[in-house]
Amino acid sequence: MLITHDTRCALDTVVDLVNTAPEDDTAADGLPDVATLTDFVSNHEISDVGALSEFDLSAVRKIRGRFAAVFAAPDARAAAGQINELVAAAGTTPRLTDHDGYDWHVHYFAPGASVADHLAADCGMALAFFVVAGEQERLRRCEAPDCRRAFVDLSRNRSRRYCDSRTCGNRLHVAAYRARRKEAAG
């Protein structure tokens, strides 16, 4: 599957956005305030975003939940429904652009769109490409029991199971190894 630079950036952004959501009622929100949202926008080089407000923070948190539903969708039809609602609500206006040293690429958000509409349009379209390509199952959650972080499986054979093989994957492999050794020792 060919993934363009702008699609990859949108995928990274949507995964990072979904992963800011608290795992449960005891966990802290990864987007606690407008300053953190501003940092998120800056770190992900989201263009054409003006000054952010509490309204923007609230709107981004709402679409974050909608994106999480795409990663939790049981099949392509359910994912497509979620994506269609996100993209339609954002009022997409596809246009070609070259800016900030990047070659020609497509922006799907309307000029002057809010940051939430910007994310819904660009990130929604990036996820839509996966559904169209029959690759919706690549939009996953980590299989580690104590981690439910979202990720996009870009491995050739769709075999990635953990958000990070060096942390979650390694921790589970070490635990399984120790359990086998303990059982063998009897």
Side-chain angles (χ1 to χ4, degrees):
M1 177 174 190
L2 175 66
I3 300 173
T4 61
H5 173 76
D6 52 318
T7 300
R8 180 60 194 253
C9 290
L11 289 172
D12 291 344
T13 300
V14 73
V15 164
D16 289 348
L17 178 63
V18 168
N19 289 334
T20 65
E23 299 259 340
D24 55 38
D25 293 338
T26 62
D29 193 311
L31 286 177
D33 52 35
V34 175
T36 307
L37 177 59
T38 301
D39 289 343
F40 182 89
V41 167
S42 176
N43 292 339
H44 289 87
E45 297 179 353
I46 300 170
S47 61
D48 297 334
V49 175
L52 299 172
S53 67
E54 287 293 328
F55 177 82
D56 292 309
L57 178 62
S58 175
V60 168
R61 285 178 177 164
K62 285 179 187 167
I63 66 156
R64 174 181 68 186
R66 310 275 311 270
F67 280 128
V70 173
F71 281 84
D75 55 38
R77 184 164 306 284
Q82 290 289 335
I83 294 167
N84 283 340
E85 290 175 16
L86 275 162
V87 171
T92 58
T93 307
R95 69 191 192 317
L96 286 168
T97 183
D98 64 338
H99 61 86
D100 299 328
Y102 296 109
D103 204 357
W104 290 104
H105 58 282
V106 180
H107 280 186
Y108 295 95
F109 60 93
S114 70
V115 67
D117 284 346
H118 180 135
L119 291 169
D122 275 0
C123 295
M125 289 305 299
L127 296 175
F129 294 140
F130 276 77
V131 174
V132 168
E135 301 285 352
Q136 180 262 335
E137 72 275 1
R138 289 181 181 270
L139 309 176
R140 298 190 175 162
R141 292 289 189 154
C142 184
E143 291 182 18
D146 58 343
C147 179
R148 296 297 300 150
R149 293 180 59 85
F151 67 94
V152 178
D153 179 3
L154 297 176
S155 66
R156 283 185 191 205
N157 61 357
R158 298 176 191 93
S159 62
R160 189 170 159 197
R161 297 174 47 207
Y162 307 110
C163 63
D164 186 348
S165 61
R166 291 172 298 184
T167 55
C168 290
N170 192 44
R171 188 175 63 249
L172 288 176
H173 291 281
V174 168
Y177 171 77
R178 288 181 179 157
R180 287 191 305 272
R181 295 227 1 169
K182 184 177 181 181
E183 187 177 307

